[in-house]
Amino acid sequence: MNPKRILVVGAGHVGLYAALRLSKKLSSREAEVIVVDPQPHMTYQPFLPEAAAGNISPRHSVVPLRRELRRCKVVAGTVTRVEHDRKVATVQPIVGPAREIAYDHVIVAPGSVSRTLPIPGLHEQGIGFKTIGEAIYLRNHVLDRLDVAAVTPDPEVRRSALTFTFVGGGYAGIEALAEMEDMARDALRYYPELEPEDMRWVLVEATNRVLPEVDRDMGAYTVQQLLKRNMDIRLDTRLESCVDGVVKLSDGDSFRSDTIVWTAGVKPSPMLDATDFPRDERRRVTCIPTLQVVDGDQVIEGAWSAGDCAAVPDLTKEPGNFCSPSAQHAVRQAARMADNIAAVIRGREPVNYKHKHAGSVASLGLHKGVAQVYGIKMTGWPAWFMHRTYHMSRIPSFNRKVRVVVDWSLAFFLKREVVALGQLHDPREEFVEASQPVGAPRV
Ligand SMILES: Cc1cc2nc3c(=O)[nH]c(=O)nc-3n(C[C@H](O)[C@H](O)[C@H](O)COP(=O)(O)OP(=O)(O)OC[C@H]3O[C@@H](n4cnc5c(N)ncnc54)[C@H](O)[C@@H]3O)c2cc1C
């Protein structure tokens, strides 16, 4: 028997876990696993806020693909098209011409991208919070704004530098806001020119609550905690424009802000538009609970999907409900999917995915948090501790777990680093200046 070729599109929570499991379960005579992703690593997104806050090294909140997936073939590139009719994907490697890869089974797991709205100025001024690059840029930018505010004689410039606006109050937005504020407050001890009251941290949320993943009382607790930290929480409010950094809100308020972070939800990866997979009205790939792609009642043989880009029925709820886009579902779906693919290759029946969402844990800065897990509600230090232990247990590989724990321990004993490395974003600037030919006009 020729080994079956399994092509994995995207090595995130779904892709990495599924590929790892498949390569352990199936022998090389049974299957060959090819993983395509433009990034050389999987990003453990729940750690992005802590990486941005400097509690974890950015390198330790990602998982290197080649190190973990030694029994798979890793291709550094982007899948630009999938023609499942022909069972062929087009891959654009990071260098060189595009090429086609034929497969027997495909795992469609490109995840999601920020869901934005056509708000004037957002495209030019905003930044998302989904990648390690964005998280580290934001960290450097926030610390850089403190430096600007400390040195400028202009009160307008200072106010704008010290105003940080976050749009969207889901867990990504709340964690990013709370962790960044906590870090900036910590950093202020080294800035005698600035007082904590000089900073303005604004959360803009279109609905009347935050953290929709937990009960209302936990959302209300979170708002109270943020208010106690002098944050400006605007519920039932929308961002209307932010042209040239002037934030205009639907409640009529307007102010300058050098920092506008967009965390108002996600939508399935647009790469799905270049595939022939059936999709629902939210543009997710339609799946049945076995994680096979389905067109109406028709199972599409050899096509599998899960995670943020897939509409997977939630069997723990009434019919018509789908699993939420979360790491919690993504990694469990990946395991079930890998087992199902192995079963199908061996001539057995796939099994349904069923997992009751356990709840959510969110960090609100060092030693602060909120958690609701299996109905048990926790706040403050215990919730924060639970957040850390849960995610530490979840990040793939023993190697990463050890590194993350070491990072936390160092930050505990030596205090976290609060230095901006903004030069990282334009590393050639100094060399370009120094290597300018004599007499050449300066650019
Ligand atoms: C800041 C933040 C905090 C979060 N915290 C939590 C939390 O506490 N708990 C929780 O349960 N969930 C959390 N989530 C959500 C969770 O991270 C996502 O639901 C999960 O990552 C989805 O997994 P995925 O595999 O579908 O997508 P991803 O993990 O995003 O992986 C998608 C992969 O596909 C690759 N890709 C994209 N396009 C292509 C292409 N064309 N070709 C090849 N590869 C491609 C990408 O590079 C990426 O590696 C958080 C998310 C964020 C942003």
Side-chain angles (χ1 to χ4, degrees):
M1 167 177 107
N2 278 341
K4 298 285 183 202
R5 181 179 280 173
I6 304 168
L7 178 70
V8 183
V9 181
H13 286 69
V14 171
L16 175 87
Y17 276 90
L20 206 53
R21 194 157 169 124
L22 281 165
S23 63
K24 282 184 186 154
K25 282 205 123 171
L26 295 171
S27 70
S28 56
R29 276 180 289 112
E30 288 175 296
E32 170 196 22
V33 182
I34 302 180
V35 180
V36 186
D37 199 300
Q39 302 298 332
H41 56 74
M42 173 259 199
T43 304
Y44 190 76
Q45 289 174 347
F47 273 155
L48 289 183
E50 288 224 52
N55 302 329
I56 301 176
S57 156
R59 282 192 311 282
H60 302 160
S61 38
V62 301
V63 182
L65 299 184
R66 287 184 184 273
R67 181 172 182 154
E68 290 310 313
L69 298 175
R70 282 191 224 178
R71 295 167 67 184
C72 304
K73 181 168 181 206
V74 176
V75 178
T78 304
V79 174
T80 53
R81 181 168 209 83
V82 183
E83 292 163 75
H84 192 69
D85 265 359
R86 295 202 294 136
K87 291 202 170 172
V88 165
T90 307
V91 175
Q92 175 59 64
I94 52 172
V95 63
R99 64 172 191 257
E100 290 194 338
I101 298 182
Y103 59 79
D104 299 292
H105 292 266
V106 64
I107 294 178
V108 186
S112 56
V113 296
S114 295
R115 188 188 58 220
T116 54
L117 296 169
I119 293 172
L122 183 61
H123 177 72
E124 296 78 17
Q125 304 292 327
I127 182 163
F129 197 78
K130 268 191 70 63
T131 65
I132 191 71
E134 288 171 332
I136 300 315
Y137 171 82
L138 186 62
R139 166 188 173 74
N140 288 327
H141 173 77
V142 167
L143 291 169
D144 177 67
R145 293 300 93 187
L146 300 186
D147 287 325
V148 167
V151 82
T152 181
D154 183 334
E156 270 298 305
V157 172
R158 180 182 163 107
R159 227 185 333 270
S160 183
L162 292 179
T163 303
F164 307 95
T165 309
F166 287 67
V167 187
Y171 49 70
I174 291 290
E175 284 194 318
L177 167 78
E179 288 282 1
M180 296 316 291
E181 190 268 352
D182 199 56
M183 176 202 70
R185 189 179 283 268
D186 235 15
L188 285 196
R189 354 178 204 175
Y190 310 114
Y191 290 82
E193 307 87 342
L194 305 176
E195 294 296 327
E197 302 75 53
D198 297 337
M199 295 195 296
R200 182 176 180 196
W201 291 81
V202 188
L203 175 72
V204 182
E205 164 56 45
T207 68
N208 64 0
R209 59 164 304 181
V210 302
L211 293 180
E213 303 80 10
V214 295
D215 285 352
R216 264 182 185 279
D217 56 338
M218 301 305 274
Y221 166 86
T222 305
V223 169
Q224 268 171 20
Q225 294 305 307
L226 301 181
L227 288 171
K228 271 191 198 158
R229 286 157 63 176
N230 266 338
M231 293 194 211
D232 185 348
I233 309 295
R234 308 285 179 105
L235 301 180
D236 284 323
T237 308
R238 281 169 287 104
L239 174 67
E240 296 209 318
S241 88
C242 53
V243 176
D244 296 333
V246 178
V247 171
K248 290 195 174 145
L249 300 180
S250 58
D251 62 7
D253 200 2
S254 169
F255 50 85
R256 292 198 74 88
S257 176
D258 284 4
T259 311
I260 298 162
V261 187
W262 183 264
T263 53
V266 294
K267 64 178 183 192
S269 166
M271 82 64 62
L272 297 174
D273 293 342
T275 69
D276 50 4
F277 296 118
R279 291 194 285 155
D280 71 354
E281 69 293 344
R282 288 164 68 177
R283 314 305 292 149
R284 299 173 296 187
V285 177
T286 47
C287 292
I288 50 174
T290 52
L291 304 159
Q292 288 163 295
V293 178
V294 74
D295 190 1
D297 292 339
Q298 181 78 35
V299 172
I300 299 186
E301 188 259 326
W304 306 78
S305 190
D308 284 8
C309 73
V312 178
D314 186 343
L315 295 184
T316 67
K317 294 187 179 155
E318 298 293 309
N321 283 291
F322 294 92
C323 298
S324 58
S326 66
Q328 192 180 136
H329 277 303
V331 296
R332 287 175 173 84
Q333 288 171 350
R336 169 52 41 222
M337 183 201 286
D339 291 355
N340 281 350
I341 294 175
V344 167
I345 287 176
R346 290 171 179 165
R348 292 202 291 268
E349 285 300 307
V351 172
N352 283 345
Y353 170 76
K354 186 174 178 183
H355 166 68
K356 189 165 166 43
H357 196 258
S360 285
V361 286
S363 160
L364 302 177
L366 268 185
H367 311 147
K368 301 175 263 292
V370 55
Q372 185 175 340
V373 180
Y374 294 116
I376 299 169
K377 298 176 182 178
M378 268 179 268
T379 56
W381 195 90
W384 171 81
F385 186 70
M386 182 162 199
H387 163 86
R388 283 206 158 176
T389 43
Y390 173 76
H391 285 303
M392 202 269 291
S393 73
R394 284 284 148 191
I395 189 166
S397 91
F398 180 69
N399 181 295
R400 291 296 118 174
K401 293 184 205 304
V402 172
R403 287 174 193 266
V404 166
V405 172
V406 169
D407 284 346
W408 282 336
S409 312
L410 282 177
F412 181 77
F413 289 111
L414 303 178
K415 300 271 177 275
R416 64 178 148 197
E417 275 298 354
V418 283
V419 61
L421 291 181
Q423 213 182 23
L424 282 180
H425 307 295
D426 195 2
R428 294 195 66 244
E429 190 186 2
E430 189 179 319
F431 184 75
V432 168
E433 178 81 19
S435 58
Q436 196 89 355
V438 180
R442 301 220 159 241
V443 281

